[in-house]
Amino acid sequence: MVSDPGKVWIGVEYFCNEGDGLWTRTDEQMKKLAVEELVRIGIIEERGLLDSTVLRMPKAYPAYFGTYARFDEIRDYLDTFENLFLVGRNGMHRYNNQDHSMLTAMTAVDNIIAGQQNKANIWELNTEKEYHEERSAEEKPVASATAGSRA
């Protein structure tokens, strides 16, 4: 997804409620937070950062209506792009909890390192029927603030 194969794009998601302290941070504050966290856990070196942007995504949970029954057609088409790995809730348009979302990303990284272009193992994650979280009627929907950066 980056024109120079020697560079990589990294997306960082923060889940919050619209209007809360995280949501209302400035773009610069969100970029700073994402970079600090990525540096602290050893994913990037700050000096290698070329650019960053912030996207706020209200109502980030996938919606299952319309032509969702034809989703496999879209997945098959997108899987033809060798350098595109769909991961997490929004990338896969699938309800994943945080553990499953992280596991899809880690599996994608393993595939990239191994040179594996077949993405079936990513799509096989979170397919067990007995494990799904439920939201109580009192809980409010969560919004996502996403900070993306290229390093």
Side-chain angles (χ1 to χ4, degrees), residues 22-92:
L22 188 58
W23 182 269
T24 57
R25 287 184 183 205
T26 67
D27 286 359
E28 288 307 312
Q29 289 171 326
M30 290 302 297
K31 291 174 188 179
K32 185 175 187 259
L33 175 64
V35 170
E36 286 172 352
E37 290 185 341
L38 290 170
V39 168
R40 186 171 57 242
I41 61 176
I43 303 258
I44 67 168
E45 293 179 4
E46 189 169 358
R47 70 176 188 262
L49 181 68
L50 299 177
D51 190 19
S52 60
T53 189
V54 173
L55 302 171
R56 286 175 177 75
M57 187 70 60
K59 322 278 186 286
Y61 286 93
Y64 303 108
F65 53 84
T67 57
Y68 192 75
R70 297 178 62 195
F71 183 77
D72 286 341
E73 293 175 48
I74 296 168
R75 177 193 153 190
D76 290 343
Y77 172 74
L78 292 174
D79 279 352
T80 65
F81 294 90
E82 293 177 14
N83 64 340
L84 177 63
F85 291 82
L86 303 178
V87 298
R89 272 189 195 143
N90 289 332
M92 300 177 83

Side-chain angles (χ1 to χ4, degrees), residues 103-124:
L103 189 55
T104 62
M106 291 187 299
T107 302
V109 168
D110 290 343
N111 287 356
I112 292 166
I113 291 170
Q116 179 175 322
Q117 294 177 1
N118 183 318
K119 299 166 180 110
N121 61 345
I122 299 170
W123 290 99
E124 291 166 1

Side-chain angles (χ1 to χ4, degrees), residues 8-25:
V8 67
W9 177 91
I10 300 173
V12 180
E13 286 187 80
Y14 295 96
F15 291 90
C16 59
N17 292 309
E18 289 178 69
D20 72 12
L22 188 58
W23 182 269
T24 57
R25 287 184 183 205

